[in-house]
Amino acid sequence: MGVMLPYKKFIVSSLLAVITVGFSFYSVNAQVPITDNSRFDVTFTLGETVKEKQSVALSIGDLKLLTGADTAVSIRDWNERNDHGFFVNDNSGMVAINGLRPGSQNDGIYAVLQFINESRSDFDAFEIAFDFLYKKEPDIRGELKLYYRVNQNAWNELAGTAVSMSSLQSSGTSWSSFSIQSHIDGIYLRHGDILEFAWIPDNLLTEESSHLPIALQQIELRPAVTRPEPPARGSIIITEILTSDPQSSLPEYIEVYNPTGDAVPLKGMVIATGSGEIVVQGQKYVDPYSFFVLATTGGAESIPFDYDYRYPIKLLAPGSAFVELRFGDTETAKATYNQAQAGVALELDQVSNAFDGYTSMQHFANSPFEIERGLHGTPGRRGTTSRMFSHAIQYPGWHIVSLPGIHNSRLNRNSDLDYRDLSGDEIVPSVDDLRKPILVYADEESLSKPLFVDENGSTSDQFMRSDFGQDVGFSLISLPGYNSIRLGSIANEMNLPVTPAVQVWDASEQAFRVKFGSDAELNPWSPIIINSEVQTPAHVLDESRISSAAELDRFIRIRLFEEETGRRDGLKDELVLGFSDSRMLRTDRRFDLPKLFPILHPEEVQNEITLLYAGNTLSRHRANSFTHLPHELDDTYQIGVGIATSKSVIQGVLDWSAMQDIPDEWVLTLEDRVTGNSIDMREHANYRFRYTSSAEIDREEIAENPLTPVTPHQNERFVITIKPYKSALDSFGDSVRPGSVELRQNFPNPFNPATNIVYYLPEETHVRIGIWNVVGQQVALLVDDTMRAGENSVSWNAADMPSGIYIVQLETGNRIFTRKITLIK
């Protein structure tokens, strides 16, 4: 920041964005060129102007360099100040100025500074800082706020940048200093674009209105260069246009649509027409399979419909014209149109007619829907436009896909994709295959060719189930809609989650993988596998209604690696052992997921297969990818862990380091049935072994029959034994009873406003239970008494507490147990 005047310094955090020129009750206007992305400092001097590569010390006599005026209005020392402003000087030669006379007045604005990008780079962020001097005067109050804009877009307040005059502290009559620093990233500057800052008062009052005692001493600016990757052509499509006469107050708009499964960023996008162009500022995105509306009235009038971005000037002239959307020199979308009827928007008939990003006027038609009297269109809504959905094929190999629309043979005709039904028979997708799971095989040459389907919304809001018979034990569920959803949002008629875990095909790994947890993201293009006992989901809950009942917060993930010459050769397979709470799910259904062989192409039957599976006597499946036990164990349980491989011998490593929320009092052991080794799974996180297989895997049969469950031909090599606290007490005697105290998960969690806190005591003892916030303050004391042995519970009503995370702390004897709980209002 350079040398500061030796006065008391007061810091105001997170303000501003680049250079400004002081304050007076006259507006100040200046423009400074940005020539590169280096840090640039501006200071002032009573001597000659000194210019260096990264700084300038500007003479007060040369202030016309900032104002752009032919002659600079002279300013005086503070003690000789006039209506044109003043300067403050100290013995170090550093000067602070106030009152640069602008070339034009801006009502209500104290100071304005413009930066013009004269570099060869684009900028999308700035680090900025201002150093000011001020004198404390008790009759001055109110605030100064910083605003910014690019070119002629709307002014935006930079949040957190207000300077309260009453908060500035000063000793005696001397000048003091303060600094304002900030980061701004809601902008995009190309070559020739102007970034403008303005200080604007808010209830600022003073008796000497022309002599506000604040002066600017130094400015620091550091721009950030951006080189964005333009979105692919066709990733946004112009679907609707409303033109307006430039002289009228009627609105105009451009509606675009994103037919892809990824959000498309618009920051830096140029909207160009024959009338001019503007650049989209700020972090704006077009969500997957969604519309986005850019609109203006060309003035301050309100726009009579919802829009997502407002631009400052009118661009869409009536008659025959074009609209181009580009990033730099790369065109992403374009439309030609012929507007014949004033106030009536043109709507695209089918998005698939513009799949390549070009919308021809022959596919536009007048909108029949009325916004208000004299204005027709459907901005941000489907209207008469039939949508299209595309799905990127990013990985070679097999994909399991549910088509959320009708397969577009015209757009997919050049694809090398191989389509098959779940029996492995070749098919040509048709209307009958809408939302049914199918298999798609892609080779390396097919990766740049997405799948295209046209909209058919007759069943898109319903879950579709594909069963494979009771003997198979699992079903495929096609998800509704077009956008990703969370596992916790899939609910039954009672708004309860239907399952804590699902299985999906991972195309990147060419393997089935288990997904669990309420936040696990599911893609409607990819069907999910559930246990056949699980209910068919009824609907998708919105974010505010998602329950934590299906949150699988207690689990053990076991992974199998192969090892060669002491080095792990990558993950071969994994399984998940979960502990689900049937009381919270309100069901005793099983959620186990079967271990399935990978999907093999007839030309890939030589591929080696190595799988890891779990056997559980509670499950109907002999081999599982996911199996579960009660959340609170009431007995000793054993889980078999087996291996199915096409290799004769493997050197393997079992790894269970991903273990979460397993109570300290539980005893976990892994037994190797071949060697007799018994491993304490708490003391060790992995186990090395050599495995010899005597069973053959018929890979040709697997290739002919996709979704084939693993049927073990020999006993599981390993056994995991899990003993709860009661079993541990029986094994080790009364001496460890105090160690079996357990603070269990509260129910419900998250909660609003009350929750039940459950804890177990092996014997009658004194207990203290308190609630603490995250900053270490105790906010409630629930129990401070001698409690009976066994399971106890206490309720906490947090109606008067703010939302957030709290800590439950249980103290007994010299032991302390804690749990995090979440209050959401």
Side-chain angles (χ1 to χ4, degrees):
M1 279 302 301
V3 178
M4 296 294 301
L5 289 179
Y7 300 113
K8 178 180 177 182
K9 187 172 183 179
F10 180 81
I11 300 295
V12 180
S13 299
S14 71
L15 199 65
L16 205 17
V18 184
I19 300 182
T20 306
V21 190
F23 295 113
S24 72
F25 273 47
Y26 294 99
S27 176
V28 179
N29 196 344
Q31 189 176 95
V32 177
I34 306 172
T35 58
D36 59 31
N37 65 321
S38 303
R39 164 180 163 173
F40 188 77
D41 295 332
V42 178
T43 57
F44 305 95
T45 177
L46 295 178
E48 299 293 326
T49 295
V50 178
K51 296 180 180 179
E52 297 182 0
K53 184 177 180 180
Q54 309 305 145
S55 66
V56 58
L58 186 63
S59 169
I60 290 181
D62 289 335
L63 290 181
K64 61 184 178 182
L65 297 178
L66 284 182
T67 63
D70 293 334
T71 59
V73 177
S74 62
I75 60 177
R76 312 283 182 87
D77 184 273
W78 164 254
N79 295 319
E80 301 174 352
R81 59 192 182 278
N82 56 32
D83 288 346
H84 302 310
F86 59 85
F87 67 84
V88 180
N89 183 31
D90 81 331
N91 295 330
S92 71
M94 294 285 287
V95 174
I97 62 169
N98 172 297
L100 293 180
R101 186 83 172 183
S104 61
Q105 298 290 337
N106 293 283
D107 294 338
I109 297 178
Y110 283 130
V112 175
L113 182 70
Q114 295 178 346
F115 290 91
I116 184 169
N117 182 6
E118 293 186 355
S119 75
R120 297 180 179 180
S121 301
D122 291 354
F123 302 130
D124 69 344
F126 285 85
E127 298 290 342
I128 55 169
F130 293 78
D131 290 345
F132 292 101
L133 297 184
Y134 71 95
K135 287 179 72 72
K136 177 68 174 177
E137 295 191 5
D139 61 332
I140 300 178
R141 59 186 183 273
E143 292 183 327
L144 286 172
K145 296 181 178 179
L146 181 67
Y147 289 74
Y148 69 93
R149 68 178 180 180
V150 175
N151 298 333
Q152 296 301 310
N153 283 276
W155 287 105
N156 299 284
E157 182 182 352
L158 194 55
T161 60
V163 177
S164 172
M165 304 305 297
S166 60
S167 68
L168 297 178
Q169 303 298 317
S170 179
S171 58
T173 59
S174 64
W175 290 83
S176 298
S177 64
F178 69 92
S179 294
I180 296 171
Q181 304 170 16
S182 188
H183 172 84
I184 181 172
D185 60 7
I187 57 174
Y188 195 96
L189 260 70
R190 304 171 302 162
H191 177 79
D193 285 343
I194 295 174
L195 173 63
E196 193 170 9
F197 293 96
W199 285 97
I200 298 177
D202 185 6
N203 298 320
L204 190 63
L205 302 174
T206 178
E207 292 180 359
E208 296 184 70
S209 60
S210 62
H211 300 145
L212 185 64
I214 298 179
L216 176 67
Q217 183 184 30
Q218 183 171 346
I219 307 157
E220 178 187 311
L221 165 69
R222 189 189 300 270
V225 173
T226 182
R227 298 178 180 86
E229 185 70 24
R233 186 174 180 85
S235 58
I236 51 175
I237 290 169
I238 298 173
T239 51
E240 193 168 338
I241 294 173
L242 177 67
T243 67
S244 176
D245 189 286
Q247 306 305 317
S248 76
S249 61
L250 293 176
E252 68 176 38
Y253 65 79
I254 305 165
E255 178 193 81
V256 299
Y257 173 73
N258 175 10
T260 76
D262 299 314
V264 177
L266 297 187
K267 184 177 182 180
M269 183 183 76
V270 179
I271 306 174
T273 69
S275 302
E277 63 180 43
I278 64 100
V279 181
V280 174
Q281 306 293 319
Q283 302 290 353
K284 300 295 181 180
Y285 295 87
V286 187
D287 292 331
Y289 314 124
S290 299
F291 294 99
F292 187 98
V293 178
L294 306 103
T296 189
T297 60
E301 299 87 352
S302 62
I303 297 175
F305 49 79
D306 293 334
Y307 58 92
D308 302 289
Y309 183 80
R310 182 167 185 166
Y311 54 94
I313 60 175
K314 288 198 172 183
L315 297 172
L316 305 176
S320 298
F322 72 92
V323 180
E324 181 183 59
L325 307 180
R326 69 172 190 267
F327 293 80
D329 297 327
T330 303
E331 183 182 278
T332 298
K334 186 175 182 178
T336 56
Y337 63 89
N338 186 1
Q339 183 71 14
Q341 188 172 348
V344 179
L346 298 172
E347 292 191 58
L348 176 64
D349 54 3
Q350 296 183 33
V351 171
S352 58
N353 285 329
F355 77 98
D356 58 353
Y358 176 68
T359 307
S360 172
M361 67 174 66
Q362 66 181 341
H363 295 297
F364 276 130
N366 288 343
S367 174
F369 303 99
E370 187 174 64
I371 300 174
E372 61 177 19
R373 185 177 181 85
L375 202 62
H376 287 72
T378 57
R381 297 182 287 116
R382 179 182 177 280
T384 60
T385 303
S386 177
R387 292 179 294 175
M388 177 188 73
F389 311 99
S390 68
H391 178 64
I393 302 294
Q394 299 177 322
Y395 306 100
W398 283 111
H399 299 251
I400 304 180
V401 175
S402 291
L403 300 179
I406 300 173
H407 183 265
N408 190 315
S409 299
R410 175 174 62 90
L411 299 185
N412 293 313
R413 68 182 185 276
N414 295 323
S415 175
D416 298 322
L417 300 176
D418 179 7
Y419 299 94
R420 299 181 182 238
D421 61 23
L422 295 184
S423 298
D425 298 327
E426 294 185 7
I427 61 171
V428 176
S430 65
V431 175
D432 295 334
D433 297 304
L434 175 65
R435 301 186 63 244
K436 290 181 180 179
I438 62 173
L439 301 178
V440 181
Y441 185 82
D443 56 24
E444 291 284 353
E445 296 180 356
S446 305
L447 299 187
S448 61
K449 302 173 183 178
L451 282 173
F452 295 96
V453 298
D454 288 323
E455 182 175 32
N456 184 315
S458 59
T459 58
S460 64
D461 60 343
Q462 300 293 322
F463 289 88
M464 179 180 288
R465 185 171 191 140
S466 302
D467 287 313
F468 296 88
Q470 292 298 316
D471 293 337
V472 176
F474 68 90
S475 304
L476 262 69
I477 298 289
S478 295
L479 305 177
Y482 312 101
N483 295 308
S484 296
I485 61 178
R486 292 163 56 186
L487 175 56
S489 68
I490 300 177
N492 59 21
E493 292 85 352
M494 302 299 293
N495 294 334
L496 290 172
V498 296
T499 180
V502 297
Q503 191 163 225
V504 297
W505 174 254
D506 189 324
S508 65
E509 298 183 23
Q510 290 293 288
F512 289 99
R513 292 288 182 249
V514 175
K515 283 194 172 186
F516 59 92
S518 295
D519 289 333
E521 189 173 274
L522 305 175
N523 189 325
W525 288 83
S526 301
I528 60 175
I529 296 174
I530 62 172
N531 190 296
S532 58
E533 293 186 23
V534 172
Q535 295 175 275
T536 301
H539 53 263
V540 177
L541 300 176
D542 59 43
E543 292 291 318
S544 64
R545 300 167 65 196
I546 292 179
S547 167
S548 63
E551 191 67 54
L552 199 65
D553 55 1
R554 179 171 293 173
F555 64 86
I556 303 173
R557 188 191 297 271
I558 304 174
R559 298 179 293 174
L560 172 63
F561 297 88
E562 278 195 76
E563 194 170 61
E564 295 182 2
T565 63
R567 181 177 61 85
R568 291 189 183 183
D569 189 30
L571 176 67
K572 295 303 178 183
D573 199 18
E574 63 182 25
L575 63 87
V576 177
L577 172 58
F579 300 86
S580 60
D581 194 335
S582 60
R583 296 174 304 171
M584 297 183 70
L585 292 167
R586 301 183 192 177
T587 179
D588 291 323
R589 298 173 188 265
R590 295 299 300 177
F591 309 113
D592 310 272
L593 300 170
K595 176 63 64 175
L596 300 175
F597 282 110
I599 305 171
L600 297 181
H601 194 274
E603 298 177 0
E604 298 176 343
V605 294
Q606 75 281 0
N607 288 1
E608 294 178 340
I609 298 173
T610 299
L611 300 175
L612 184 71
Y613 64 88
N616 182 355
T617 57
L618 298 176
S619 171
R620 65 181 300 173
H621 309 304
R622 169 75 184 278
N624 300 280
S625 286
F626 168 80
T627 191
H628 58 99
L629 300 177
H631 193 270
E632 307 298 338
L633 298 187
D634 55 1
D635 203 347
T636 298
Y637 290 86
Q638 290 188 324
I639 302 294
V641 176
I643 296 171
T645 180
S646 60
K647 293 183 177 182
S648 58
V649 177
I650 63 171
Q651 192 70 31
V653 178
L654 286 182
D655 183 293
W656 54 87
S657 56
M659 188 163 50
Q660 179 170 307
D661 197 38
I662 304 300
D664 293 340
E665 295 77 22
W666 289 10
V667 177
L668 281 73
T669 57
L670 173 77
E671 178 188 354
D672 187 333
R673 286 178 168 177
V674 172
T675 65
N677 292 334
S678 182
I679 307 299
D680 186 332
M681 297 177 68
R682 293 190 180 279
E683 294 184 359
H684 304 276
N686 56 66
Y687 175 69
R688 287 174 170 80
F689 63 95
R690 180 181 175 86
Y691 182 82
T692 302
S693 175
S694 60
E696 291 290 333
I697 292 180
D698 191 338
R699 287 173 286 188
E700 291 186 358
E701 182 179 350
I702 294 171
E704 293 176 359
N705 298 281
L707 304 182
T708 301
V710 171
T711 302
H713 297 291
Q714 57 192 52
N715 291 332
E716 289 78 23
R717 168 73 178 266
F718 308 97
V719 174
I720 294 176
T721 302
I722 305 176
K723 295 181 180 181
Y725 54 84
K726 185 175 182 180
S727 295
L729 288 175
D730 294 340
S731 299
F732 299 112
D734 294 339
S735 61
V736 297
R737 278 190 181 275
S740 62
V741 174
E742 184 177 0
L743 175 60
R744 299 176 182 173
Q745 184 64 55
N746 64 305
F747 172 79
N749 189 47
F751 63 95
N752 179 25
T755 187
N756 295 311
I757 297 165
V758 182
Y759 57 100
Y760 175 84
L761 303 174
E763 59 188 2
E764 183 177 290
T765 186
H766 187 274
V767 173
R768 180 182 173 91
I769 299 177
I771 307 293
W772 302 71
N773 60 25
V774 292
V775 297
Q777 300 170 320
Q778 184 172 337
V779 298
L781 179 61
L782 306 182
V783 177
D784 189 6
D785 202 352
T786 299
M787 305 302 295
R788 64 176 178 84
E791 186 172 275
N792 296 272
S793 67
V794 62
S795 178
W796 181 44
N797 190 316
D800 58 345
M801 302 301 296
S803 296
I805 295 175
Y806 293 86
I807 309 297
V808 180
Q809 180 173 292
L810 183 151
E811 299 179 51
T812 177
N814 59 357
R815 303 197 66 185
I816 297 177
F817 301 83
T818 62
R819 270 196 184 274
K820 291 182 180 179
I821 61 177
T822 304
L823 171 63
I824 298 179
K825 293 186 175 181

